[in-house]
Amino acid sequence: MVELLRREFIGFVLASVLPADLVASSVRQLPIDPDLVQGVLEAGKWTSSADDNGGSEQLPEEFIKTIVETYKKDPANPSQNAVDGLGVLVLTLSVGEWGVSWKGKMPDDPAKDRWLGPKTIMQGKHLMSYALGGIGIPHLDVDGAQRFLREVGRRYPAAVADLAPFTDRRTSFHYDRVRAAGGLCAANPQSVVIMSDLDGKPFDHGAVTYGGAKYCQRFNLNRRLDARQWQTLRHWCRVGLRDKAIQAWVIQDWLDRVWMPSYHSVMNRRVPGSVLEAFVLARIVNTSNGALKKALEAAGQTSDPERRIEAELANYAGKNQTHIGRVGLMRRPGAVYDHFS
């Protein structure tokens, strides 16, 4: 229910700021194409034994070219697969901050980083993310994380009892509160954080002590410790993220709840908007509904697509150094789309 309300709110915010004839609803016609999922998994170096130690992810040039050409065949009436493909570009290049491996001449990288991907798990988002930042490539948290954990329980009944404290619909789940209590904020984290799963198998991630005083002040002011709970969460997140079907579920869930409402809200105006603006708005709403509302207000009734994008990006970046660092990455989907158009 909470996530349904979030999706409706995205549409409400868009409709309240943009013209009244904007249509914000979108209904999935078909499940995500397995080839799209496979392309993402291969680029993200996923295997059924992978762990949260990703980095340097890059989409192959041919994979992107196929996505753009599929959409450009009929942009006025695109298939579900065509729209999904564009969303995959946002999820990987913009949200995940992945790069592109080029065989031919590459276009200029808006991020000014030679189309490289994140160098470590400290940067961007990864298919196996569970030890830092959130769960999976969208870094799921709160209700999104609860939904993921319920899906894990549906596929792995043994997880249901272990995950009950996290999936109870009457309580809110906050990833970083569980993580910060797991030993990150102890005097000696290395001796408190449990680095093996519930079956005694080691966690192969280097995020044991990433945090610091500001992090602990924000998420564990009372210095609560519950290393077992953090161990349990990581155990079942890793089990789920090692399941190809659940990886497909994560990607499709993000497309349905973030990308499709953003895309249809922009493209279903009386005078259709720009795909490039949809790319930007989807990344902004991935941060928060509030950031989306402010960005749209900054663009106002401006009709020129590029001026709208500039206003939205400027508002999103503001003086926030993290957001400022994302602006070039948020331009990457548009750059590859233009390159193959």
Side-chain angles (χ1 to χ4, degrees):
M1 175 60 74
V2 173
E3 193 59 29
L4 175 62
L5 291 174
R6 170 181 163 80
R7 182 177 176 184
E8 290 178 346
F9 182 70
I10 293 173
F12 171 77
V13 170
L14 286 159
S16 66
V17 179
L18 294 173
D21 60 336
L22 201 72
V23 179
S25 62
S26 58
V27 178
R28 173 164 294 277
Q29 302 162 355
L30 297 168
I32 185 170
D33 190 312
D35 289 342
L36 276 178
V37 174
Q38 187 62 31
V40 173
L41 297 186
E42 289 178 1
K45 306 173 186 178
W46 178 90
T47 69
S48 59
S49 60
D51 212 324
D52 190 4
N53 47 26
S56 303
E57 295 95 336
Q58 292 180 304
L59 295 183
E61 175 182 342
E62 284 301 314
F63 180 64
I64 297 172
K65 182 179 180 181
T66 298
I67 286 174
V68 175
E69 290 181 345
T70 298
Y71 183 82
K72 294 294 288 185
K73 286 178 182 176
D74 190 3
N77 187 31
S79 66
Q80 179 70 61
N81 182 45
V83 176
D84 283 346
L86 295 187
V88 162
L89 296 182
V90 183
L91 178 60
T92 53
L93 300 180
S94 186
V95 175
E97 303 183 7
W98 294 10
V100 179
S101 59
W102 297 95
K103 291 184 178 179
K105 183 179 180 181
M106 67 178 72
D108 291 337
D109 179 7
K112 302 186 186 306
D113 194 31
R114 296 177 294 117
W115 293 99
L116 298 177
K119 297 173 179 61
T120 69
I121 63 170
M122 288 286 287
Q123 294 178 284
K125 299 172 178 63
H126 314 275
L127 293 173
M128 288 300 299
S129 286
Y130 69 84
L132 180 70
I135 303 169
I137 185 172
H139 275 187
L140 295 169
D141 198 358
V142 293
D143 44 335
Q146 284 187 315
R147 198 170 56 254
F148 167 84
L149 296 172
R150 285 194 288 270
E151 181 67 13
V152 172
R154 189 180 73 81
R155 294 176 182 270
Y156 297 88
V160 174
D162 287 345
L163 294 176
F166 309 127
T167 58
D168 187 342
R169 298 175 189 272
R170 297 168 297 178
T171 61
S172 60
F173 170 86
H174 295 277
Y175 170 87
D176 276 305
R177 290 180 186 172
V178 178
R179 182 176 184 268
L184 279 294
C185 299
N188 185 4
Q190 296 281 3
S191 66
V192 178
V193 177
I194 301 172
M195 286 303 292
S196 58
D197 68 13
L198 299 178
D199 296 325
K201 298 176 182 178
F203 288 118
D204 184 20
H205 65 75
V208 182
T209 58
Y210 296 158
K214 290 184 178 179
Y215 177 86
C216 294
Q217 179 78 8
R218 180 179 178 185
F219 296 109
N220 195 4
L221 182 62
N222 297 325
R223 295 186 178 275
R224 173 176 170 266
L225 287 178
D226 193 336
R228 177 74 175 181
Q229 191 179 62
W230 176 226
Q231 177 197 34
T232 300
L233 180 64
R234 283 177 295 158
H235 173 94
W236 288 113
C237 284
R238 183 166 72 170
V239 168
L241 294 171
R242 283 177 169 175
D243 185 323
K244 185 175 182 178
I246 293 184
Q247 285 286 354
W249 180 92
V250 170
I251 296 169
Q252 181 172 311
D253 182 75
W254 186 88
L255 293 173
D256 288 348
R257 297 175 185 276
V258 179
W259 167 244
M260 286 180 64
S262 301
Y263 171 83
H264 286 289
S265 295
V266 172
M267 303 307 292
N268 289 348
R269 297 172 186 160
R270 183 172 299 157
V271 179
S274 163
V275 168
L276 275 61
E277 184 184 0
F279 290 158
V280 169
L281 292 183
R283 178 61 184 93
I284 292 175
V285 77
N286 191 81
T287 297
S288 72
N289 294 325
L292 171 68
K293 187 174 187 297
K294 291 177 181 178
L296 289 169
E297 288 173 346
Q301 299 303 315
T302 303
S303 59
D304 179 75
E306 183 56 30
R307 288 179 62 192
R308 290 192 62 82
I309 291 170
E310 289 178 356
E312 288 156 358
L313 286 173
N315 179 271
Y316 177 75
K319 297 181 179 180
N320 185 311
Q321 291 302 313
T322 298
H323 290 189
I324 291 171
R326 289 174 180 168
V327 168
L329 295 160
M330 293 167 71
R331 288 274 197 177
R332 276 181 168 177
V336 298
Y337 181 86
D338 282 344
H339 179 72
F340 290 115
S341 293

